[in-house]
Amino acid sequence: MRPSPAARTLSAGALLLLLLAVLSVLALGVGAVRTSPADVLGALRGQGDDLTRQLVLELRLPRVLTAMLTGAMFAASGAALQGVIRNPLASPDLIGVGAGAGLAATLFLLAWPGAPAGGLPWAALTGAWGGFGLVLLLSKEWSGLGPGSLHPVRLALVGVAVAAALGAAQQLVLVRAPDGLGAALSFLTGTVYGADSARVARLLPWAALLLPAALLLSRTLDVLSLGDDLATSLGTRVGAARLLCLSVGVALAGAAVTGAGILGFVGLLAPHLARLLVGGKHIRLLPIAMLLGAALVLAADTLGRSLLPPLEIPAGIFTTLVGAPYFLYLLRKTR
């Protein structure tokens, strides 16, 4: 007898939470000074020497939390965008959202280096909407608030082109930035390097607001995925519902970029893996996708820190190496 969808979701969630716990302990022990799992657990309980507690709690724990938060936010954004657009190729980095947010954040820091940290997510959010709107306009299929009819492959190809152009513009800005500012903006290349408690504090309010909001929109996403006609017949105001879901999805990606930069394909991979595990119903899909996204980014960051010490490989390189072949597979499948 096959387990029920709810049982599968609970089992998958429990296994992913266990995986996150193991990855967290490993990540907290990786660095120039290796720390054993026993010492990591002791530091988390407030035991051990001062140096170990400082390494684990003050230097590494914010990095782990940043990786998990940004991974969960990118995954939730991808799941929401795929549900609204009814497009399996939709994800923040493939339809201009991530690149627009990164370029806007770069310009914001360049124009106002001493700006308060709270202003950065708002700049990234503006850029995320700008990049997404440009993709929709160039796709020549945008009508009102109804992107449900967008052709999957056309949207993906236009998104890749727009993301590449915005990414090139960002790199040009970084190259011409004053000395020292380019290093300060290194996190925009897809890494959680240098994450501290201030970055975690900047991300937490957005995650605390937007991740539950995405879960609350689960039923709306289910209805929108049925198509405009059926959604309307069920009493849904399609235009308003689509705008609300798009706003949450774009905001999630824009805020996540300020924490870890443009992490390629996280928003594409995590929802698809979650759909394979628990099906397409969003009340089950979203939490599993969030856990998968958190685990994916944390594993990529931990691998990047441990392969060639003391050099660090950005987490975005690993997520792209895994996600790019899968994207090509989906592109062929939806041809």
Side-chain angles (χ1 to χ4, degrees):
M1 182 176 178
R2 295 184 62 183
S4 66
R8 290 204 311 271
T9 304
L10 289 175
S11 299
L15 289 174
L16 287 171
L17 285 173
L18 178 61
L19 175 62
L20 271 176
V22 173
L23 283 174
S24 298
V25 172
L26 293 176
L28 289 172
V30 172
V33 178
R34 295 276 181 169
T35 306
S36 68
D39 290 338
V40 168
L41 294 174
L44 292 175
R45 294 194 298 264
Q47 302 171 355
D49 58 87
D50 292 340
L51 177 59
T52 300
R53 288 199 303 272
Q54 183 180 15
L55 283 174
V56 172
L57 301 178
E58 297 180 20
L59 298 180
R60 296 173 183 168
L61 183 58
R63 182 165 184 164
V64 169
L65 292 175
T66 298
M68 290 193 294
L69 284 174
T70 54
M73 293 168 79
F74 274 121
S77 174
L81 293 173
Q82 289 170 15
V84 174
I85 304 174
R86 306 204 327 261
N87 183 344
L89 300 175
S91 70
D93 49 313
L94 289 178
I95 57 175
V97 173
L103 177 59
T106 304
L107 292 173
F108 177 80
L109 291 176
L110 180 62
W112 195 4
L120 187 59
W122 290 103
L125 178 58
T126 302
W129 265 112
F132 184 51
L134 183 59
V135 171
L136 291 174
L137 288 173
L138 293 177
S139 69
K140 297 182 181 179
E141 302 250 6
W142 174 251
S143 60
L145 292 174
S149 62
L150 289 175
H151 192 280
V153 175
R154 177 179 295 181
L155 185 71
L157 294 177
V158 172
V160 169
V162 170
L166 294 176
Q170 177 188 315
Q171 293 301 316
L172 178 62
V173 171
L174 290 175
V175 168
R176 298 184 63 84
D179 292 341
L181 185 59
L185 297 173
S186 61
F187 74 95
L188 288 173
T189 60
T191 177
V192 291
Y193 175 79
D196 53 13
S197 57
R199 196 183 301 186
V200 175
R202 186 174 68 227
L203 283 172
L204 270 177
W206 291 86
L209 174 66
L210 295 172
L211 291 177
L215 292 173
L216 291 174
L217 292 172
S218 296
R219 184 180 179 280
T220 302
L221 289 168
D222 287 336
V223 173
L224 289 175
S225 65
L226 298 175
D228 291 0
D229 294 339
L230 188 52
T232 301
S233 69
L234 293 173
T236 301
R237 297 175 58 189
V238 174
R242 182 172 287 120
L243 179 60
L244 178 60
C245 293
L246 282 176
S247 298
V248 172
V250 172
L252 277 164
V257 165
T258 67
I262 305 172
L263 289 170
F265 297 99
V266 175
L268 178 75
L269 275 172
H272 275 276
L273 294 176
R275 200 171 285 111
L276 293 174
L277 290 174
V278 298
K281 196 172 180 64
H282 285 86
I283 192 60
R284 299 191 296 268
L285 170 67
L286 277 165
I288 298 302
M290 293 176 191
L291 292 173
L292 282 167
L296 180 62
V297 176
L298 182 58
D301 180 58
T302 305
L303 187 62
R305 286 192 289 151
S306 58
L307 277 183
L308 299 171
L311 298 177
E312 293 196 10
I313 303 173
I317 291 179
F318 293 104
T319 60
T320 301
L321 286 175
V322 174
Y326 191 68
F327 168 71
L328 293 176
Y329 162 74
L330 288 176
L331 193 64
R332 180 178 178 83
K333 185 178 179 182
T334 57
R335 183 176 56 184

